Amino acid sequence: MEYLIGIQGPDFVLVAADNVAASSIIQMKHDYDKMFKLSEKILLLCVGEAGDTVQFAEYIQKNVQLYKMRNGYELSPAAAANFTRKNLADYLRSRTPYHVNLLLAGYDEADGPGLYYMDYLSALAKAPFAAHGYGAFLTLSILDRYYRPDLTREEAVDLLKKCLEELNKRFILNLPSFTVRLIDKDGIHDMEKLPVGPK
Amino acid sequence: MALQDVCGFLDTLDDTGPCTYPPNEMGYMWRTASEFDRDSAFHFLFPPQQCSRKNRVPTLFSSTFSSLSPHQQPFQLSHGTTTLGFIFQDGVIAAADTRASCKGLICCPTSQKIMPIHSHLVVNTSGSGADCMLWERILTREMRLYQLRHRKRLSINGAAKLLSMMLHPFKGTNVCVAATLCGWDGEETRETLNSCMEIAEVKEAVEQDTGVSTISDSALSSVKMASVNEQEILKDAYALNPAVSDQNTKNVLSFGGRSGPRVCYVCSDGLQLKGEIISVGSGSPYAYAVLDDGWRWGMTVDEAVALAREAVFRATHWDAYSGNNVDLFHITAHGWRRRDREDLKEEYYRERERKRKKIKEREKERQKREGDELGEGDIYSVHCG
């Protein structure tokens, strides 16, 4: 039902998430933001079971900020991803596992851009491009075909648009708009909603 | 409840060891008061230890029973209802039907699904009736405690977050609460007033709405908020022409500390949404259809009331689990006001009557027009009845 996608370029990461908050068959909200800002250059995209997403994502968000307050410097994307994975794994075999699928995207001064794919079983993988949701079945092969490690920003946005067109065409559910953000050395930038969101 | 917590009434019982009370039928579900963490709202009742999220039919009994098959509910907990809440330039409308159903039986045709929490907040509840009653009281208690401790009222979004956090430990159990918090956030600072638009003429909303019957006493005696004049100023700032109000809605909705109408949905499975139109229950799709069609930010109070009433009416017509009467609350900066409970049974026949009259009129007009057209240039004259 929900869809996340991330594309890593040579010096940026482009991420997008759909804007629908649904409850059984009803779209309760059309402009729901599924991205959580962990720090100036790290975004966590979170989908999954209704309450778990916000609970878990906010928990990670607050802990990352606490780390910064305690130690004076921010967690790198790799460290944040591993921290998230550890927490997810700890809860996995408890009474209350979190059923969430995540994409963590960030830019590190030393390592450059990074996109991390994490699923509800707390499997972590650093990937050049990734997607979550039923829409992933439809769009991963497009990403396979057209992705190159040296994409420019415009090319990455075009690739994203291609994926969303395919979703519009073949996916049974209506996902009218997507929030798009880009992370590079200057931080997180909001981009225009695709396709143009409802006023 | 609240006074007991605030006074630390049962402080003296110093039993901090592991649970040693004998297992009774309820097992380890109920903790004694000494184990309450007075400062935290979240520890007051926890689901039994054996209950795991994966086991979707949790046992309510002690561990001695857990080896048996899961306890069968005596009846299916179903949540048939239609409740809705939406904001517009002049406040919030909360409406709901009054039918409490239990599978095929109407348990109560005159239940009240909209409960006031305080002078500027009402909550629409759907889900399991017992759970809703309990959690309303808990929410009321916690908001009152917050107000006493911090000397200001908790915002609607804050209340939603609080309720969501309190319900989180019960995720996976049979607790079923889907609450819509509808209210008006109080204005705390004066600086934000300056950024609002100039004041137009003062609108007397209290006199305008003719369907009003009850005025909440607490609204009139509310001293926590800024003076009534300022509230009216704010209300008018939004009541100006819709084009500018649309701009203002963005401000109202995006700035956390500002005052304004709010509607927030909290569900026991953890979903928490802020929005402009929220409808919950088995009749909600029907209500959404009417609301999406007629909602505008710049509606007048009468239009909004009529829209809400019609949405509930249509939902009760199609949905078997909604019906009987409709309750309507209107919340503004002055507080909540309640409309008389209205029986919708007659509404269906009144509408049929209106439609029939309209068809007759249209038929007459059509025949008259045809008669005129034919009579003008035609050699054959047709007799029109």
Side-chain angles (χ1 to χ4, degrees):
Chain A
M1 309 289 180
E2 303 172 293
Y3 182 67
L4 299 177
I5 181 173
I7 303 172
Q8 181 197 323
D11 59 349
F12 66 91
V13 189
L14 182 70
V15 288
D18 73 289
N19 284 333
V20 170
S23 171
S24 86
I25 59 162
I26 305 276
Q27 271 187 23
M28 294 200 82
K29 230 179 163 227
H30 319 280
D31 54 359
Y32 187 67
D33 194 359
K34 301 186 183 175
M35 303 196 192
F36 295 84
K37 188 173 141 178
L38 295 190
S39 78
E40 289 308 313
K41 295 183 189 162
I42 308 181
L43 268 181
L44 181 69
L45 288 74
C46 193
V47 291
E49 204 175 310
D52 287 352
T53 50
V54 176
Q55 283 287 125
F56 185 73
E58 285 192 347
Y59 175 70
I60 299 294
Q61 190 181 41
K62 302 314 170 199
N63 272 291
V64 168
Q65 284 166 1
L66 182 63
Y67 184 95
K68 181 182 173 184
M69 279 182 217
R70 280 190 178 144
N71 302 297
Y73 61 93
E74 288 185 339
L75 275 173
S76 68
N82 279 290
F83 171 70
T84 310
R85 190 213 68 83
K86 177 83 171 51
N87 267 291
L88 206 49
D90 285 339
Y91 278 102
L92 186 61
R93 287 175 200 271
S94 72
R95 283 184 302 113
T96 58
Y98 286 107
H99 192 111
V100 291
N101 293 315
L102 308 165
L103 280 183
L104 195 142
Y107 188 90
D108 192 25
E109 302 298 322
D111 302 327
L115 176 68
Y116 295 87
Y117 170 99
M118 215 175 317
D119 73 357
Y120 69 101
L121 296 169
S122 74
L124 173 68
K126 186 171 192 299
F129 56 85
H132 273 300
Y134 288 121
F137 291 97
L138 294 164
T139 50
L140 279 173
S141 45
I142 299 177
L143 289 166
D144 254 340
R145 276 187 88 188
Y146 293 105
Y147 176 80
R148 287 184 335 268
D150 61 349
L151 286 174
T152 66
R153 284 169 172 72
E154 291 75 26
E155 284 170 354
V157 174
D158 283 337
L159 181 52
L160 178 64
K161 280 188 183 155
K162 258 204 194 65
C163 292
L164 300 184
E165 267 165 28
E166 180 64 19
L167 279 187
N168 274 332
K169 192 162 172 217
R170 289 291 182 185
F171 191 40
I172 197 176
L173 294 185
N174 179 32
L175 296 173
S177 77
F178 293 80
T179 312
V180 184
R181 294 207 164 101
L182 186 123
I183 311 176
D184 63 7
K185 63 173 171 42
D186 299 321
I188 302 173
H189 311 282
D190 285 342
M191 302 186 69
E192 200 188 64
K193 276 195 181 171
L194 293 175
V196 180
K199 295 283 185 291
Chain B
M1 290 204 278
L3 197 55
Q4 172 185 312
D5 283 343
V6 167
C7 300
F9 174 57
L10 292 168
D11 238 354
T12 49
L13 294 175
D14 198 10
D15 183 5
T16 52
C19 310
T20 50
Y21 39 86
N24 52 23
E25 257 210 346
M26 296 312 290
Y28 298 107
M29 182 158 178
W30 302 96
R31 292 187 171 195
T32 58
S34 60
E35 286 161 347
F36 286 8
D37 182 343
R38 279 170 318 284
D39 291 329
S40 164
F42 314 139
H43 290 298
F44 99 104
L45 266 182
F46 275 118
Q49 303 297 321
Q50 310 84 340
C51 168
S52 89
R53 194 81 69 74
K54 298 195 188 100
N55 178 16
R56 289 281 161 184
V57 185
T59 59
L60 295 177
F61 292 73
S62 70
S63 55
T64 53
F65 292 100
S66 61
S67 53
L68 301 179
S69 58
H71 173 65
Q72 294 299 322
Q73 300 288 335
F75 45 79
Q76 172 79 14
L77 294 171
S78 51
H79 18 104
T81 187
T82 307
T83 69
L84 59 94
F86 60 87
I87 60 174
F88 65 113
Q89 53 91 10
D90 205 4
V92 192
I93 298 280
D97 72 312
T98 60
R99 177 175 291 184
S101 61
C102 177
K103 228 174 184 176
L105 171 71
I106 299 178
C107 296
C108 177
T110 53
S111 63
Q112 189 180 357
K113 300 189 189 179
I114 314 184
M115 297 295 277
I117 300 276
H118 59 64
S119 62
H120 289 73
L121 174 62
V122 306
V123 58
N124 294 356
T125 52
S126 69
S128 149
D131 287 333
C132 288
M133 272 189 213
L134 173 67
W135 285 100
E136 268 159 18
R137 286 197 73 192
I138 293 169
L139 182 65
T140 312
R141 176 189 76 167
E142 290 307 321
M143 292 200 68
R144 183 71 181 138
L145 282 173
Y146 184 95
Q147 191 181 357
L148 290 168
R149 285 177 183 145
H150 298 91
R151 288 196 215 141
K152 66 172 182 177
R153 218 198 302 271
L154 187 56
S155 67
I156 310 296
N157 289 339
K161 195 80 191 172
L162 183 64
L163 185 59
S164 181
M165 297 293 286
M166 289 197 285
L167 285 171
H168 183 68
F170 297 91
K171 193 176 154 109
T173 65
N174 267 347
V175 170
C176 181
V177 174
T180 311
L181 300 171
C182 311
W184 186 284
D185 267 345
E187 171 69 3
E188 304 301 343
T189 63
R190 286 163 200 254
E191 293 83 48
T192 46
L193 272 178
N194 300 331
S195 54
C196 286
M197 304 168 315
E198 293 90 23
I199 308 149
E201 66 277 7
V202 174
K203 225 202 261 184
E204 299 294 332
V206 179
E207 279 77 13
Q208 258 193 1
D209 192 339
T210 51
V212 168
S213 57
T214 324
I215 299 191
S216 70
D217 294 330
S218 47
L220 299 176
S221 61
S222 163
V223 289
K224 284 284 177 283
M225 300 185 14
S227 72
V228 176
N229 278 338
E230 280 168 337
Q231 288 314 308
E232 233 165 355
I233 288 167
L234 279 165
K235 191 164 53 68
D236 297 324
Y238 304 131
L240 289 182
N241 59 73
V244 197
S245 317
D246 279 337
Q247 168 64 35
N248 228 28
T249 38
K250 306 289 181 289
N251 295 338
V252 164
L253 295 176
S254 55
F255 295 154
R258 305 240 162 177
S259 105
R262 299 263 189 275
V263 74
C264 225
Y265 171 65
V266 180
C267 188
S268 51
D269 65 9
L271 189 61
Q272 188 199 338
L273 297 173
K274 309 174 241 279
E276 290 166 345
I277 306 175
I278 305 272
S279 175
V280 186
S282 54
S284 67
Y286 311 109
Y288 267 121
V290 175
L291 288 170
D292 284 335
D293 188 41
W295 182 87
R296 277 175 5 255
W297 175 259
M299 284 192 293
T300 66
V301 177
D302 290 334
E303 284 174 358
V305 167
L307 183 68
R309 200 172 148 275
E310 173 150 15
V312 177
F313 167 60
R314 299 277 170 220
T316 56
H317 181 58
W318 286 108
D319 182 27
Y321 298 109
S322 310
N324 296 103
N325 310 313
V326 63
D327 276 335
L328 220 144
F329 278 65
H330 176 214
I331 305 117
T332 57
H334 299 291
W336 56 260
R337 296 193 313 260
R338 185 184 177 167
R339 222 176 120 88
D340 274 338
R341 178 172 277 192
E342 197 180 342
D343 192 341
L344 292 175
K345 177 176 62 176
E346 300 304 318
E347 179 63 24
Y348 176 67
Y349 297 107
R350 282 198 292 263
E351 204 198 3
R352 255 198 6 195
E353 207 37 56
R354 281 198 294 267
K355 279 199 179 142
R356 200 159 358 134
K357 273 201 202 129
K358 203 161 188 175
I359 290 174
K360 254 199 221 156
E361 277 172 25
R362 282 227 293 255
E363 181 64 31
K364 268 196 212 139
E365 267 177 38
R366 200 173 54 81
Q367 283 174 348
K368 203 159 68 97
R369 236 181 312 124
E370 277 176 9
D372 287 340
E373 284 167 12
L374 287 169
E376 266 174 20
D378 209 308
I379 47 173
Y380 300 110
S381 66
V382 181
H383 177 67
C384 304

